[in-house]
Amino acid sequence: MTITLARTSTRNASLSEIVGILREQHPRKTDVVAPVQNIHAAGGRLIIEGADYDLTPDGVTRKQAEYRLTDVCESGVAEKLGIPVGYLRKTRTEAPHLWDANVNGWLSHHSRADKSFMVRTLTPAQGEDTGTARAFLSPSYRIIDNLDILTAALQGVRDAGVEVRLDKCDLTDRKMYVKITAPQVSAYAPELLKDYRSPFSGARGADNPTVFAGFEISNSETGCGAFTIVPRLVVQVCDNGMVITKDVMRSVHIGGKQQDGVIRWSDTTQARTLELVASQTTDAVTTFLDRDYVVRQLRSIQETAATRVKNPEATITTVAQRLKFTEERRADIFAHFIQGGDLSAGGVMHAVTSVAQTLPDADDAHEFEAHGIRAMELAASL
């Protein structure tokens, strides 16, 4: 028997595509807070007593539900039960019977006798025989769903009165990412882009040194990070994104402890949460989609970017090691650095952010892009 994980990922989607996926998922979402006595593992899946129901002429009867796990959920199980995640994954692929034995053994351990856990699930889609366990969390986790976040954030943008475009949307088991750009809020960066050319089109930054203001919204429904808004400057000739991580706005998913059972969030609780999201987005638009803000950030970046790289291969190797990039990513950065033609610390940043655009895994791509400015700072210090 092989235990397989459930997985979903959508890369570089349009707004309408992401909204369609979120709307399809929305009615299938069920959040269950269950005591450990009602949870067990069988065949590499989670079984939760009372998480499903039958409608009969005699009324509603609660019954058990079976779920395939995502990688995120499996990691949550390992963390909450104190099982090394690498070991649990090894049992799944090499000795599946030990997966069940370890999960059940630690669920039933006396130290967890009075524990409950929140399991975020999706009921089976059409053609599926089981649901999906998306996350295994603390009962104090505060749910902020992607569809609600996106709706509230777009309302915040409208309230700010700035014309924007949604460039790219990504959706994974871990997070939703939405990149927003304001082409009408721009500045020139001739010094930053004078020697750079796009590795995708060959377009020269010297011919069009335009940088647009923007920001990225991200949210996790599965415990993989707070709701965040982070400013992002976009180079027109190549769509490279410079993420200003120091100015991030965030809202953490921590609330009061929930009682056991299937959770139904009150309209008042949801409304307050979404009002905050809309307000934060309006603040972000006002702060980040401002030409003076863009000019200040570009001036700061340029001061470091101008440093010449004397030994590109050694510098990029050291940068990759310090940022814990793989050897494959190091080679990609070096190739993009050479193609970009900018032999400066700024060229290292451009190489990192252009490589990020080529990565098929959205989580990897967004994490990689966020290292761009840090990679430039390291290169300038060597």
Side-chain angles (χ1 to χ4, degrees):
M1 178 187 70
T2 300
I3 300 173
T4 58
L5 296 176
R7 178 174 172 79
T8 58
S9 182
T10 303
R11 184 87 164 98
N12 293 331
S14 67
L15 175 62
S16 61
E17 288 171 330
I18 288 293
V19 169
I21 294 169
L22 296 178
R23 284 179 174 166
E24 187 278 330
Q25 289 182 349
H26 205 65
R28 297 198 291 121
K29 291 177 182 176
T30 303
D31 302 307
V32 182
V33 174
V36 291
Q37 296 85 353
N38 287 6
I39 307 172
H40 68 275
R45 299 183 179 190
L46 282 185
I47 311 297
I48 305 177
E49 300 294 337
D52 202 356
Y53 60 87
D54 281 329
L55 290 175
T56 69
D58 297 325
V60 178
T61 302
R62 307 300 304 184
K63 65 177 185 179
Q64 70 179 27
E66 179 179 330
Y67 303 99
R68 292 178 62 201
L69 283 73
T70 63
D71 178 72
V72 173
C73 188
E74 184 180 58
S75 296
V77 169
E79 178 192 355
K80 297 302 181 189
L81 300 185
I83 305 170
V85 66
Y87 168 74
L88 193 60
R89 288 172 177 160
K90 183 179 178 69
T91 64
R92 169 167 46 80
T93 58
E94 299 182 19
H97 66 285
L98 291 179
W99 195 96
D100 291 348
N102 277 274
V103 172
N104 287 330
W106 288 106
L107 280 170
S108 61
H109 192 267
H110 64 85
S111 63
R112 295 182 178 82
D114 60 348
K115 294 284 187 179
S116 292
F117 297 101
M118 179 190 290
V119 186
R120 300 217 70 190
T121 76
L122 290 173
T123 58
Q126 187 173 6
E128 295 179 345
D129 59 348
T130 62
T132 300
R134 308 166 62 215
F136 196 81
L137 301 163
S138 161
S140 63
Y141 185 78
R142 180 162 59 96
I143 295 168
I144 311 179
D145 277 346
N146 288 332
L147 183 59
D148 294 332
I149 284 284
L150 185 55
T151 302
L154 293 178
Q155 182 60 53
V157 171
R158 286 191 290 270
D159 290 345
V162 178
E163 184 178 342
V164 301
R165 72 182 188 212
L166 273 73
D167 283 341
K168 297 172 183 176
C169 304
D170 296 323
L171 186 65
T172 73
D173 292 329
R174 295 180 178 276
K175 288 187 177 183
M176 173 186 71
Y177 308 90
V178 178
K179 292 178 178 177
I180 292 174
T181 303
Q184 70 185 57
V185 183
S186 64
Y188 289 120
E191 287 301 310
L192 180 65
L193 298 171
K194 63 182 180 181
D195 297 324
Y196 181 67
R197 61 176 178 268
S198 168
F200 306 115
S201 66
R204 287 163 28 93
D207 297 332
N208 182 12
T210 305
V211 176
F212 297 136
F215 59 88
E216 177 182 273
I217 295 169
S218 66
N219 182 59
S220 177
E221 298 183 333
T222 55
C224 297
F227 160 64
T228 63
I229 306 172
V230 60
R232 182 174 180 268
L233 308 181
V234 183
V235 179
Q236 186 176 17
V237 295
C238 57
D239 283 339
N240 288 349
M242 294 173 279
V243 180
I244 317 298
T245 55
K246 64 182 177 64
D247 289 341
V248 64
M249 297 180 178
R250 67 177 68 244
S251 179
V252 180
H253 294 246
I254 298 295
K257 188 177 188 299
Q258 303 301 322
Q259 300 301 310
D260 293 347
V262 177
I263 300 171
R264 295 289 180 262
W265 297 91
S266 73
D267 291 341
T268 300
T269 299
Q270 291 293 72
R272 287 174 180 168
T273 298
L274 299 178
E275 284 173 6
L276 176 60
V277 169
S279 175
Q280 285 180 317
T281 306
T282 301
D283 291 343
V285 171
T286 303
T287 303
F288 302 147
L289 303 190
D290 175 80
R291 189 176 185 279
D292 288 342
Y293 176 84
V294 174
V295 170
R296 287 197 306 273
Q297 298 308 316
L298 286 173
R299 186 181 299 122
S300 175
I301 291 169
Q302 173 56 35
E303 289 176 1
T304 306
T307 305
R308 305 305 291 177
V309 174
K310 297 177 182 178
N311 188 332
E313 188 167 11
T315 296
I316 289 172
T317 296
T318 301
V319 168
Q321 289 172 345
R322 293 190 183 178
L323 295 178
K324 295 181 169 54
F325 295 154
T326 64
E327 171 58 26
E328 181 182 5
R329 294 290 85 85
R330 183 209 63 79
D332 291 339
I333 294 169
F334 185 70
H336 277 237
F337 180 81
I338 298 303
Q339 289 176 302
D342 183 352
L343 305 182
S344 69
V348 175
M349 176 185 68
H350 293 312
V352 170
T353 54
S354 62
V355 168
Q357 295 188 59
T358 69
L359 301 182
D361 184 282
D363 295 313
D364 289 346
H366 287 263
E367 182 178 356
F368 206 78
E369 183 181 78
H371 284 302
I373 290 179
R374 182 57 182 149
M376 173 191 70
E377 292 170 343
L378 286 171
S381 70
L382 297 174

